[in-house]
Amino acid sequence: MNTFSFLEKAALYRGDQTAIIYGNERTSYAEFREHSLTIAGNLLQLGLSAGDRVAFCMANNPRILEVIYACFAAGLVVVPINARLHPKEMAYILDNSGAKVFIHGSEYHKGIVENIAVFPNLTARVCFTKEEGTIAFDELLDSTNSLNCAVEIEGDEPCWLFYTSGTTGKPKGAIWSHRIIRVVCMNYLADLHNIQPGEMVLHAAPLSHGSGIAALPAIARGATNAIYDQTSFDPKSLFETVERLSVSHIAFLAPTQIIKMLEDYRADKFDLSSLKAICYGGAPIHVEHLKKAMKTFGPIFIQLYGQGESPITISGMTSEQHKTLLAANDPRIGSTGTIRTDVEVRIVNDNDENLPQGEIGEITVRGDVIMQGYWNMAEATANTIRQGWLHTGDIGMFDDKGYLYLLDRSKDVVITGGNNVYPREVEEVIMQLPGVVDAVVLGIPDDYWGEAVHAVIIKEPRSDITAKDVIDHCSNSLAGYKKPKGVDFVTEFPISGYGKILRREIRAEYWKNHEKTIGGSVKLGTEAQL
Ligand code: AMP
């Protein structure tokens, strides 16, 4: 079965209904289907055949959803590229994926031409405006080549390469098949948020990442997808959009976006009463921020924990769970919730042995949402999927009620004097100190300890907290080896195109004159001390 059937059915039952809203542009489900089949036909007309890769890089706009569905319809494999990447990074993904066609916004043309030497040979480069060496996107809308319906395709054929953010090396393309996407969609609707036909769903995060995946169940259900039309995230215009369109569900937000929303929200200025659900994830949210968000916007948050290798998701916390845990002041609000219905999770040690509940180890996952492997990277695939279990590289543990705690990426764990310190645990404590806006804890080089625990903090503009205040505050609730030995104050953190704090970049500043970038190796299988 071709995943295009989601759109086919939405157009059959709700053809006149608005599928996509973008600024003043409205696209009905019938038009959405027609545009996708037309783009599909024109891509095949360029000489592509089933299984060929088509990459795109564009700021959020309706064409993204049309191109994704066009690729499904034509049996092609879509390769979304983060719109904030450097042209050289785009070239790497094009080369690695072997993409034959690259569709991009006009704003990237100049950078591509300047770096054309590193770009691989393509069958065609499609630009939104007609530029030298490209074909114009409008040519893909020539209806003479339109397909009548989607091609027949086996469920296990790849349809999407999801490139990881590359925080631990070069980006890798996680292969998703039609079946994986369908399983992801149905599970999203069953376990996380049962989107209803006609529901107004807002996409404020990049459609090349989490929001694009969340759009698929929204389309399957015949919801209306409003695409936030600002080039950068501005909470005030987000609130205005929610109010103007009576948005009921925000498909996906990164924690950094929620923090920005908290800074700008004024109850007397914006009416957000239509909002019933906000999905968030992709990076840890500090408990203090989550509690504040729930008090400000209501008990409408849904947490997703997953990764490109196991898309939406591994575990989750529904809005009801959030509500109950917050009301009971239960620390589980700081977990990533419970395991999804159709996935299995095991915590293992370095020898892949199952660890008992309460012990810390690597989170491994099994189930039908797991990627088929990494594109063109057999060795990385073999290292990541072992005996059918996806090794996430995330360090976590279960509590006695089966709630999954995500401590950190294994690469972010600080090893100080032979002890593992999980930055997140220290950050949660620092966040409780009045005047702290955000905190990142990391290991910095230290002759004696190997790595010393160090905090980098953004404080409120008028706050006069000092490094000593932070360290003293940590001494009240953390073991001595976990409390920061030093503190730096900064005004902002580097943020990725997907809203994640770039810890590696902050860390690199402290390690730049050192040969090694880590002081030891993480020991798994120790008792959690949360
Ligand atoms: P990506 O593949 O770019 O979406 O990144 C996935 C990684 O983001 C995961 O392996 C986790 O380390 C992190 N992540 C995703 N969701 C959450 C969450 N709910 N809480 C904490 N970290 C998360």
Side-chain angles (χ1 to χ4, degrees):
M1 177 177 151
N2 189 320
T3 308
F4 188 81
S5 70
F6 282 161
L7 176 55
E8 191 68 74
K9 274 178 277 177
L12 172 68
Y13 295 118
R14 281 170 253 289
D16 293 339
Q17 190 199 294
T18 304
I20 309 173
I21 297 181
Y22 178 67
N24 294 326
E25 185 184 326
R26 298 270 190 285
T27 311
S28 70
Y29 267 104
E31 290 163 334
F32 181 8
R33 172 186 178 274
E34 192 187 308
H35 293 175
S36 300
L37 288 172
T38 302
I39 297 168
N42 283 297
L43 286 171
L44 294 177
Q45 199 64 30
L46 289 172
L48 303 193
S49 48
D52 282 341
R53 275 78 60 214
V54 172
F56 72 76
C57 183
M58 24 180 155
N60 271 4
N61 80 83
R63 309 292 80 77
I64 295 185
L65 297 177
E66 291 169 354
V67 167
I68 290 173
Y69 272 89
C71 289
F72 291 166
L76 300 166
V77 180
V78 69
V79 184
I81 297 182
N82 176 354
R84 292 187 35 196
L85 291 192
H86 187 276
K88 285 185 181 153
E89 296 171 305
M90 295 177 194
Y92 172 81
I93 293 177
L94 292 174
D95 188 41
N96 183 265
S97 64
K100 292 201 169 158
V101 171
F102 182 31
I103 304 173
H104 61 80
S106 309
E107 65 274 34
Y108 306 105
H109 177 69
K110 187 165 169 277
I112 293 169
V113 170
E114 282 165 9
N115 292 279
I116 204 75
V118 291
F119 274 73
N121 277 332
L122 298 162
T123 304
R125 190 154 67 79
V126 180
C127 183
F128 271 28
T129 45
K130 177 88 185 118
E131 305 287 347
E132 202 188 329
T134 71
I135 59 175
F137 188 83
D138 279 353
E139 292 181 36
L140 296 187
L141 297 174
D142 174 0
S143 59
T144 43
N145 297 319
S146 184
L147 297 185
N148 290 326
C149 60
V151 302
E152 287 289 324
I153 195 130
E154 291 298 319
D156 289 327
E157 289 301 325
C159 64
W160 186 312
L161 298 186
F162 180 97
Y163 273 82
T164 58
S165 30
T167 44
T168 53
K170 290 277 190 200
K172 298 189 275 294
I175 307 169
W176 301 348
S177 64
H178 284 267
R179 192 187 311 282
I180 290 175
I181 296 225
R182 286 205 314 274
V183 171
V184 165
C185 288
M186 296 317 294
N187 295 342
Y188 182 97
L189 296 170
D191 270 10
L192 294 168
H193 181 57
N194 191 6
I195 300 172
Q196 295 300 307
E199 189 172 336
M200 186 65 74
V201 179
L202 180 66
H203 299 282
L207 285 164
S208 57
H209 196 249
S211 230
I213 310 160
L216 304 176
I219 292 163
R221 272 280 195 266
T224 299
N225 293 271
I227 302 178
Y228 178 66
D229 56 3
Q230 303 296 311
T231 42
S232 62
F233 185 74
D234 168 27
K236 288 191 191 123
S237 77
L238 179 91
F239 299 145
E240 277 157 18
T241 309
V242 168
E243 192 172 334
R244 183 166 41 84
L245 298 175
S246 295
V247 168
S248 72
H249 173 39
I250 299 183
F252 187 80
L253 289 178
T256 45
Q257 293 175 311
I258 296 176
I259 296 167
K260 280 195 179 162
M261 284 167 63
L262 284 170
E263 284 165 10
D264 284 4
Y265 180 66
R266 300 281 170 279
D268 55 336
K269 285 215 174 130
F270 305 104
D271 175 8
L272 305 185
S273 55
S274 61
L275 259 186
K276 302 284 175 282
I278 298 179
C279 288
Y280 71 94
I285 187 162
H286 294 303
V287 172
E288 291 304 314
H289 286 145
L290 179 58
K291 286 183 177 168
K292 204 169 158 198
M294 288 178 69
K295 281 185 191 130
T296 309
F297 302 113
I300 57 172
F301 288 88
I302 299 165
Q303 187 188 175
L304 322 172
Y305 160 52
Q307 54 177 207
E309 292 82 345
S310 175
I312 314 182
T313 57
I314 297 166
S315 66
M317 194 187 283
T318 60
S319 48
E320 288 76 26
Q321 283 173 313
H322 274 87
K323 201 166 149 185
T324 314
L325 295 172
L326 182 76
N329 204 16
D330 190 319
R332 291 184 175 93
I333 192 89
S335 72
T336 61
T338 43
I339 314 172
R340 298 284 312 286
T341 308
D342 67 322
V343 295
E344 289 178 305
V345 174
R346 282 202 321 210
I347 306 290
V348 300
N349 64 15
D350 292 328
N351 301 322
D352 270 350
E353 290 155 345
N354 227 344
L355 290 170
Q357 176 265 313
E359 285 195 14
I360 296 173
E362 183 172 6
I363 300 173
T364 63
V365 191
R366 189 164 69 171
D368 289 343
V369 291
I370 302 307
M371 65 167 181
Q372 290 184 328
Y374 292 119
W375 186 262
N376 230 343
M377 289 190 179
E379 202 183 326
T381 302
N383 284 336
T384 307
I385 304 177
R386 305 200 291 268
Q387 274 109 39
W389 289 86
L390 171 81
H391 288 62
T392 61
D394 287 326
I395 303 294
M397 57 153 263
F398 281 116
D399 73 1
D400 56 350
K401 294 238 166 45
Y403 278 71
L404 181 65
Y405 283 79
L406 201 160
L407 293 140
D408 281 291
R409 301 282 301 161
S410 56
K411 298 265 176 356
D412 293 334
V413 176
V414 183
I415 297 122
T416 180
N419 295 302
N420 293 348
V421 175
Y422 300 96
R424 196 156 166 211
E425 187 188 356
V426 185
E427 288 162 9
E428 295 290 6
V429 171
I430 295 175
M431 289 300 303
Q432 290 161 5
L433 187 66
V436 173
V437 176
D438 213 345
V440 163
V441 165
L442 66 162
I444 66 167
D446 186 281
D447 285 345
Y448 183 68
W449 299 107
E451 288 179 21
V453 179
H454 193 80
V456 186
I457 292 176
I458 300 176
K459 60 181 176 180
E460 284 169 5
R462 276 184 290 281
S463 165
D464 55 5
I465 49 171
T466 62
K468 183 170 179 309
D469 295 335
V470 175
I471 296 168
D472 288 350
H473 167 76
C474 290
S475 307
N476 292 333
S477 41
L478 290 172
Y481 70 92
K482 294 184 187 173
K483 69 176 190 200
K485 302 227 165 6
V487 179
D488 285 325
F489 292 98
V490 296
T491 50
E492 58 181 11
F493 294 140
I495 304 284
S496 79
Y498 292 142
K500 299 190 195 219
I501 295 175
L502 290 166
R503 289 170 174 273
R504 232 43 60 74
E505 269 188 24
I506 304 174
R507 191 183 155 86
E509 274 301 302
Y510 293 92
W511 288 87
K512 61 184 172 202
N513 297 323
H514 288 72
E515 263 174 37
K516 281 202 325 179
T517 54
I518 193 157
S521 62
V522 188
K523 280 191 221 74
L524 302 180
T526 46
E527 254 335 295
Q529 296 173 10
L530 298 175

